[in-house]
Amino acid sequence: MSGLLSKATATEESAESTPVEEESKTEAGALAQAIEESDGPDISTILTSIGWAVIVVGGLLSLQGGSWGLIVVMSVLVLGIGALLGGQILSNEGINPVKMGIAAGLAILLTVGPYGVGMFIGAPDTFAVTELEYDEQNDRISFMVRGGINEATATINTISSTGVVEEVWSDSKSLGDNGARFKIPITDFFQGNSETCIYCSDSSLLTYQLVVDDGEGLSEEITLNTGFTNREALHAAVQIQDHLTTQNSGTGQQGSTTTVIDGLIIDVLAGIMPDNHEPLDGGIHSMSTGEDDAGTLGIVQGDYTIELSVLKGATTKWNHPTVTVDGYAASYNSGGEFKNGEMTTWLRMGGTTTDNNGILFLHEDDFYAGDGCYTFEIKITNQYYSSEPVVTESRMKWDLQFDRYNNADSNEEKQEARTYLTC
């Protein structure tokens, strides 16, 4: 009886335990299958991806060089390799020494390599000089210095024709995020023209050189434009032409028409010329012929005034209103009327009378004192001239014979009177 009871009990326990075990196995299999069939990555893949992402971030930090520090870069490297190792451990294959070694080598190269190159090879900071401007309105030069340096020192040197270098100006500025702008007034560095005459031998010629450096061996050199460093007008020229007026006398058949000279039209030129520039017969000047080197003009972009005087002998007969030149622009006030032009070519001067055609000329009544030799003197006053600001040109002289022309009976005599020979 007891035997039968024991068997019954064993059978019942077996019947009760079997469904539980089978149910547990079924649930585990279903979970594994669910994980296997899931579209999302497993933990191993996630860790591997995170590891490589961290290593890439380390590489980016390493490219910044010393700004992040080697300790930070190494910490990122350790985290990345740790994530790669965790992914290997949780993978189905387990740790693969070959793959792990290759991954670790690539991680070290990607993360520490750029930092090492920047640290041991070194890339020096650079800078550039930009926006160089020749500011005629404010009489200065200006430029920007931009780059990865802390401070820039700008220097202007003069270099003579014999090679002598002299520092004439210097200043230093700290560079912010937007760089530093230098503004240099002409008066702070100007030592004289880059050119003093055309086609001449002159040991005083100067080259102006701008040098910018960072104080640690990097520098940039720029030769300043001679069109801006030629500030002084050192020569002047005059040309004249007579003004003719037709006069009528009498009426009808008894009337007559005659042409008389009643004044002059005057043109002036200023700048840098050949030393041998000169007046020529006929009232013209060598600067207008264009022959050989005589017609070559060095245009001056400067600040100066021009005063024209007409003399007979040592006596001044007439003074033209002062002409003011700013850059190229020339202006003067003639009899309450404002006149202007550019001192890049011959500038028409004012006078005392306007004819019926609107031509302004110097009337003979305002300067003429009989036939003879007249001097057309030019005085230039340069604002920035370093030694002698005034240049006087008195070589323009012509023999004027208005009376002879106006009283002549023959055309031949009139023509001779209009030759305006130099005197």
Side-chain angles (χ1 to χ4, degrees), residues 52 55 77 81 84-85 88 95-109:
W52 282 115
I55 289 171
L77 173 64
I81 293 178
L84 289 178
L85 181 61
Q88 288 271 316
I95 299 177
N96 187 319
V98 176
K99 289 185 177 181
M100 196 61 209
I102 294 174
L106 290 174
I108 293 173
L109 181 63

Side-chain angles (χ1 to χ4, degrees), residues 33-321:
Q33 183 177 0
I35 294 175
E36 184 175 339
E37 294 178 356
S38 174
D39 293 335
D42 57 20
I43 297 178
S44 172
T45 302
I46 292 174
L47 286 176
T48 301
S49 300
I50 292 174
W52 282 115
V54 170
I55 289 171
V56 170
V57 171
L60 295 176
L61 296 179
S62 178
L63 288 173
Q64 303 300 315
S67 60
W68 284 95
L70 186 59
I71 295 178
V72 174
V73 175
M74 291 300 297
S75 299
V76 173
L77 173 64
V78 170
L79 289 175
I81 293 178
L84 289 178
L85 181 61
Q88 288 271 316
I89 293 174
L90 295 178
S91 67
N92 294 330
E93 299 177 357
I95 299 177
N96 187 319
V98 176
K99 289 185 177 181
M100 196 61 209
I102 294 174
L106 290 174
I108 293 173
L109 181 63
L110 179 62
T111 306
V112 184
Y115 187 93
V117 170
M119 182 174 181
F120 296 105
I121 296 179
D125 293 327
T126 60
F127 69 90
V129 178
T130 63
E131 300 177 28
L132 177 60
E133 298 176 354
Y134 299 96
D135 186 350
E136 180 60 37
Q137 181 176 357
N138 296 297
D139 297 323
R140 69 189 181 194
I141 63 171
S142 65
F143 55 91
M144 287 290 298
V145 180
R146 291 189 172 93
I149 60 177
N150 295 323
E151 186 178 76
T153 298
T155 303
I156 294 181
N157 300 322
T158 58
I159 306 175
S160 71
S161 58
T162 58
V164 177
V165 179
E166 180 181 356
E167 180 181 309
V168 294
W169 177 90
S170 184
D171 190 20
S172 298
K173 288 190 177 184
S174 298
L175 269 67
D177 294 337
N178 296 322
R181 179 173 289 280
F182 289 80
K183 298 178 181 180
I184 314 171
I186 299 170
T187 52
D188 287 359
F189 69 86
F190 187 71
Q191 301 296 310
N193 270 7
S194 292
E195 299 174 299
T196 58
C197 59
I198 301 298
Y199 298 118
C200 62
S201 177
D202 189 345
S203 60
S204 66
L205 299 185
L206 294 175
T207 298
Y208 288 84
Q209 185 181 63
L210 170 65
V211 181
V212 180
D213 67 77
D214 67 347
E216 298 182 4
L218 289 177
S219 65
E220 184 172 343
E221 299 179 356
I222 299 173
T223 299
L224 298 184
N225 191 333
T226 57
F228 192 76
T229 55
N230 282 338
R231 307 299 304 174
E232 306 161 351
L234 303 180
H235 305 94
V238 175
Q239 288 193 147
I240 61 172
Q241 55 180 307
D242 49 34
H243 183 272
L244 301 176
T245 298
T246 300
Q247 295 180 343
N248 299 317
S249 62
T251 59
Q253 295 181 349
Q254 302 299 320
S256 63
T257 300
T258 59
T259 300
V260 299
I261 297 175
D262 61 352
L264 290 175
I265 299 171
I266 306 173
D267 295 312
V268 167
L269 182 66
I272 304 172
M273 307 175 186
D275 279 338
N276 62 349
H277 77 89
E278 60 183 350
L280 303 175
D281 292 343
I284 63 175
H285 191 275
S286 60
M287 289 302 298
S288 66
T289 64
E291 297 176 3
D292 300 326
D293 62 358
T296 303
L297 173 67
I299 302 298
V300 170
Q301 187 177 13
D303 300 88
Y304 55 94
T305 59
I306 296 175
E307 298 173 73
L308 166 66
S309 299
V310 181
L311 301 87
K312 185 178 184 184
T315 305
T316 301
K317 294 301 181 180
W318 180 74
N319 292 312
H320 187 280

